């Protein structure tokens, strides 16, 4: 009996990774019930990451009362299994639900309530998915919520925002109480904390900052680096989530890891696929970025390691993406969306198009040999 592992990222705007896994499994079983299908929805640290873990690992969802990026009360969920908590920062400070989109005044403070609750419930590993934030506070809000004290030039304690980072005069970290807890940021961006390639210049505009504000936000992050750890601020990934990546490393001694690598390690992916005939993966758009630390790249590396073939089903593809996939040893690529299909048609029929691609994959007699 053949075994296929389906481990696909979502098709943004149309199909979640869990939905893709369900369509794939159902379609394969309809065609050949003898094939064993192992479903592993995956994500790269953004929206849907916790749901993927919930699908693969036995645990529980926990709801916590906290505040969003604008200090409005909300309830946010995280997923806890064994001694590991999976928290999507976007569930608290995500850009879509942030009412006032101004990275000068948004805060990461609310994430702290989820971390503290997880630790109280026994978590010793806290994994933060850093995608989709609305903030640019260098992670100082989160740091404040977990015991770091920021003092301004008047000697008063305050919680810094993006607009007030330059007001920080002193920092007291003596009240941090995370002993024995490991914090990991799932991060797939390489941007440093500040500079033209830093958090403010690259991500500030999409969070609502104009050109002048971008300069001021960057100035604030430079100041934060100058009074903490400028060398660390230059490292790749510290600019993730408006500088939250920097806070994880500097204030909490945590680390930043590739989102897909973190997921695959936690679920023991290599062991799952080692006796498979085929691994199927994919994402909404296959392009040159697909092989730069994203989902497909991470899964491809694991498949090569255990010598299992990989096939891709993607929503669309550039010519460069197709060529790179073939050059990297991908067995075959199936593009589900018809060329020139209207966007409404793609949204309404994405599930049917994906199902057709699964059938096409199975009709390739060489796939499971």
């Amino acid at each position: 009996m053949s075994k296929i592992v389906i481990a696909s990222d979502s098709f943004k705007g149309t199909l979640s990774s869990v939905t893709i896994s369900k369509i794939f499994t159902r379609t394969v079983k309809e065609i050949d019930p003898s094939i064993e299908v192992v479903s592993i929805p995956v994500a790269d640290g953004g929206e849907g990451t916790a749901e993927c873990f919930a699908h693969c690992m036995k645990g529980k969802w926990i709801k916590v009362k906290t505040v969003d990026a604008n200090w409005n009360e909300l309830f946010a969920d995280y997923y806890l299994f064994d001694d590991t908590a999976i928290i999507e920062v976007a569930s608290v400070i995500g850009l879509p639900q942030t009412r006032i989109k101004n990275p000068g005044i948004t805060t990461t403070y609310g994430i702290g309530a989820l971390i503290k609750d997880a630790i109280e419930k026994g978590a010793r590993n806290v994994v933060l998915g850093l995608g989709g934030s609305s903030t640019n506070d260098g992670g100082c809000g989160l740091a404040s919520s977990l015991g770091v004290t920021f003092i301004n030039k008047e000697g008063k304690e305050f919680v810094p925002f993006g607009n007030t980072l330059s007001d920080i005069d002193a920092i007291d970290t003596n009240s941090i109480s995370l002993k024995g807890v490991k914090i990991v940021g799932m991060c797939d961006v390489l941007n440093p904390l500040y500079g033209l390639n830093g958090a403010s210049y690259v991500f500030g505009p999409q969070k609502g900052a104009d050109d002048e504000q971008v300069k001021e936000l960057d100035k604030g992050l430079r100041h934060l680096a100058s009074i903490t750890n400028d060398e660390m601020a230059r490292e790749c990934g510290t600019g993730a989530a408006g500088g939250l990546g920097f806070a994880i490393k500097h204030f909490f001694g945590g680390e930043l890891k590739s989102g897909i690598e973190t997921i695959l390690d936690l679920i023991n992916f290599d062991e799952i696929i080692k006796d498979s005939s085929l691994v199927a993966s994919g994402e909404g758009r296959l392009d040159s970025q697909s092989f730069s630390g994203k989902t497909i790249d991470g899964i491809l590396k694991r498949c090569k390691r255990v010598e299992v073939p990989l096939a891709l089903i993607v929503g669309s593809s550039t010519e460069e993406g197709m060529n790179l996939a073939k050059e990297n040893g991908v067995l075959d690529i199936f593009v589900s969306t018809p060329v020139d299909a209207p966007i409404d048609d793609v949204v309404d029929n994405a599930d049917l198009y994906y199902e057709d691609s699964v059938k096409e994959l199975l009709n390739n007699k060489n796939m499971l040999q």
Side-chain angles (χ1 to χ4, degrees):
M1 180 177 69
S2 299
K3 171 183 172 182
I4 303 178
V5 175
I6 171 63
S8 178
D9 202 343
S10 63
F11 287 16
K12 297 290 189 295
T14 55
L15 300 172
S16 71
S17 52
V18 172
T19 298
I20 286 172
S21 292
K22 290 178 179 178
I23 296 172
F24 189 98
T25 302
R26 184 192 70 237
T27 305
V28 171
K29 287 297 185 180
E30 288 174 353
I31 294 173
D32 188 345
S34 71
I35 297 176
E36 178 187 0
V37 182
V38 178
S39 172
I40 305 176
V42 291
D44 57 10
E47 185 179 357
T49 298
E51 183 183 17
C52 291
F53 277 103
H55 186 87
C56 301
M57 311 298 288
K58 187 176 181 179
K60 57 184 177 181
W61 287 100
I62 297 174
K63 188 180 296 291
V64 177
K65 182 179 180 180
T66 185
V67 294
D68 65 15
N70 295 142
W71 291 99
N72 299 306
E73 182 181 299
L74 88 160
F75 287 89
D77 298 317
Y78 70 91
Y79 193 70
L80 180 68
F81 64 93
D82 298 330
D83 65 348
T84 299
I86 309 297
I87 298 172
E88 294 178 21
V89 302
S91 69
V92 180
I93 58 169
L95 185 60
Q97 76 261 31
T98 298
R99 300 175 196 172
I100 303 174
K101 294 177 172 56
N102 179 345
I105 61 173
T106 48
T107 180
T108 53
Y109 190 93
I111 302 166
L114 278 68
I115 294 177
K116 287 187 283 189
D117 186 83
I119 293 172
E120 288 174 2
K121 290 181 170 59
R124 288 298 171 263
N125 297 289
V126 176
V127 181
L128 299 175
L130 300 185
S133 79
S134 63
T135 55
N136 200 103
D137 68 352
C140 290
L142 173 61
S144 295
S145 72
L146 295 179
V148 178
T149 300
F150 295 90
I151 303 168
N152 65 19
K153 296 177 177 62
E154 285 73 45
K156 297 180 180 179
E157 297 181 11
F158 75 117
V159 178
F161 300 136
N163 283 348
T164 60
L165 290 174
S166 295
D167 295 338
I168 301 172
D169 188 59
I171 302 174
D172 182 353
T173 60
N174 291 325
S175 296
I176 298 176
S177 56
L178 297 178
K179 290 183 179 179
V181 178
K182 180 181 179 181
I183 297 184
V184 174
M186 297 175 64
C187 169
D188 288 316
V189 302
L190 302 177
N191 307 80
L193 181 64
Y194 65 82
L196 294 179
N197 195 38
S200 301
Y201 275 96
V202 175
F203 304 112
Q206 69 192 46
K207 298 177 182 183
D210 60 24
D211 291 346
E212 285 304 311
Q213 188 179 26
V214 163
K215 294 177 183 178
E216 289 303 308
L217 291 171
D218 185 68
K219 181 180 177 181
L221 292 177
R222 286 177 183 271
H223 175 71
L224 176 64
S226 71
I227 61 175
T228 52
N229 190 329
D230 188 67
E231 183 176 352
M232 180 181 287
R234 299 170 186 266
E235 294 178 6
C236 294
T238 54
L244 185 55
F246 175 76
I248 289 170
K249 295 194 69 172
H250 174 70
F251 292 114
F252 310 120
E255 62 179 318
L256 304 178
K257 296 177 63 176
S258 160
I260 186 60
E261 293 294 341
T262 303
I263 289 176
L264 298 181
D265 284 343
L266 283 172
I267 66 174
N268 202 9
F269 187 74
D270 292 26
E271 187 68 23
I272 293 172
I273 68 171
K274 70 178 184 180
D275 61 346
S276 302
S277 304
L278 178 73
V279 173
S281 187
E283 62 185 12
R285 179 176 174 82
L286 181 69
D287 56 26
S288 61
Q289 297 301 310
S290 302
F291 300 91
S292 299
K294 293 198 172 183
T295 295
I296 287 176
D297 188 43
I299 290 176
L300 176 60
K301 289 174 181 175
R302 303 302 179 102
C303 288
K304 287 183 175 180
R305 184 184 302 172
V306 298
E307 299 182 340
V308 174
L310 173 67
L312 300 178
I313 299 177
V314 299
S316 63
S317 176
T318 65
E319 184 176 353
E320 184 178 13
M322 293 287 279
N323 291 337
L324 283 171
K326 293 173 182 176
E327 290 171 8
N328 280 281
V330 174
L331 184 60
D332 208 345
I333 306 104
F334 304 88
V335 179
S336 64
T337 305
V339 178
D340 299 327
I343 186 63
D344 289 345
D345 176 60
V346 173
V347 172
D348 292 342
N349 298 298
D351 55 342
L352 299 177
Y353 289 142
Y354 188 87
E355 181 179 323
D356 288 342
S357 290
V358 178
K359 293 176 180 177
E360 187 180 356
L361 181 154
L362 290 178
N363 285 332
N364 187 326
K365 301 303 181 182
N366 296 321
M367 279 290 173
L368 301 179
Q369 291 181 357

